[in-house]
Amino acid sequence: MPFNKTVLTVMKQWDYGRPERGVSVDKSCFGATLSELVSKVETIWYDEYLDNLADLQFLIRKRADEMSPDLIFFVPQHKHEFEVETLKYLTERFPTMVWFGDDEWRFESFSSQIAPYFTHVVTTDPWSVDKYVDLGVN
């Protein structure tokens, strides 16, 4: 029986945002697993908005305000995809979580720069945990 929770996910439907590469790991792993764990999952597939990031920021805020999710789960690929103001807005109102899968080689250039704007951070790199703690990130 799933938890009575609502999660808004913000991730790519296609591998690297390109349909010809097939379904993304985000969709096949995170989407499928979350759907089994909680009673409601709604997803914003942001690869549709890579050429219009302003509309993406608006859509994320609007959906979050409409659904009041228990968690907003992000899987970003580049730091420019989500504006700091959007992340601050969301984190002030809802718990947010971000998944970083490349911290072994992108912590300094990517993860460390946007991690402080999320409530929770998940990393696949055990050597980055202390670096997050040093940034004041959970």
Side-chain angles (χ1 to χ4, degrees):
M1 167 117 5
F3 293 99
N4 187 23
K5 299 289 181 185
T6 299
V7 176
L8 174 61
T9 64
V10 184
M11 53 192 178
K12 289 185 178 170
Q13 181 172 2
W14 307 109
D15 188 41
Y16 290 92
R18 297 172 52 196
E20 67 272 13
R21 291 182 58 114
V23 173
S24 70
V25 172
D26 306 358
K27 182 177 184 177
S28 62
C29 292
F30 299 125
T33 300
L34 284 169
S35 294
E36 292 176 12
L37 291 174
V38 299
S39 55
K40 182 177 181 186
V41 177
E42 186 172 327
T43 302
I44 295 173
W45 302 113
Y46 76 89
D47 27 13
E48 299 174 28
Y49 295 90
L50 293 175
D51 293 328
N52 192 346
L53 294 175
D55 280 358
L56 175 62
Q57 310 312 302
F58 175 80
L59 176 62
I60 296 169
R61 288 181 185 210
K62 182 176 184 277
R63 285 257 178 96
D65 287 338
E66 289 170 353
M67 34 178 326
S68 292
D70 297 297
L71 180 69
I72 305 174
F73 179 74
F74 286 83
V75 185
Q77 195 167 27
H78 302 286
K79 61 185 169 191
H80 70 275
E81 294 163 336
F82 307 107
E83 295 174 1
V84 168
E85 290 306 314
T86 297
L87 299 175
K88 286 180 180 178
Y89 175 89
L90 295 170
T91 300
E92 288 172 0
R93 291 161 178 76
F94 313 100
T96 59
M97 178 180 282
V98 62
W99 173 275
F100 292 123
D102 297 324
D103 281 343
E104 296 86 352
W105 62 279
R106 289 201 324 161
F107 178 84
E108 296 299 330
S109 66
F110 174 57
S111 308
S112 66
Q113 296 178 21
I114 63 171
Y117 303 107
F118 293 92
T119 312
H120 305 285
V121 171
V122 178
T123 181
T124 59
D125 179 28
W127 291 274
S128 292
V129 173
D130 288 339
K131 295 176 190 177
Y132 283 114
V133 171
D134 290 345
L135 290 175
V137 174
N138 288 321

